Amino acid sequence: MYVCLCQAVKDSEVRQAVASGVEDVDQLAEALGVGTGCGSCRDFAQSLIDEALDESLAYAA
Ligand code: FES
């Protein structure tokens, strides 16, 4: 599933970026360019990041 159509970034790539240390949408923009086009994906991208962070915390516990 695409998270950011402008940059053709998929949710699997967002999860990988979170696994490599990305914690918010600004860092994701630097890493993958998400949100640097029309910007309409930023809220959804942030919720995906939060979800992935929650999952990684659950694994760590
Ligand atoms: Fe991500 Fe446009 S869909 S910047």
Side-chain angles (χ1 to χ4, degrees):
M1 169 182 75
Y2 282 105
V3 176
C4 177
L5 285 177
C6 293
Q7 306 298 335
V9 176
K10 295 179 182 167
D11 59 335
S12 57
E13 294 172 88
V14 172
R15 287 175 189 281
Q16 271 174 13
V18 171
S20 342
V22 165
E23 293 183 343
D24 62 35
V25 79
D26 290 330
Q27 292 173 3
L28 192 64
E30 269 178 45
L32 298 176
V34 170
T36 59
C38 70
S40 67
C41 61
R42 288 177 66 90
D43 285 349
F44 180 56
Q46 182 63 60
S47 61
L48 254 184
I49 292 168
D50 292 342
E51 200 181 293
L53 284 172
D54 281 352
E55 283 170 15
S56 63
L57 285 177
Y59 285 129

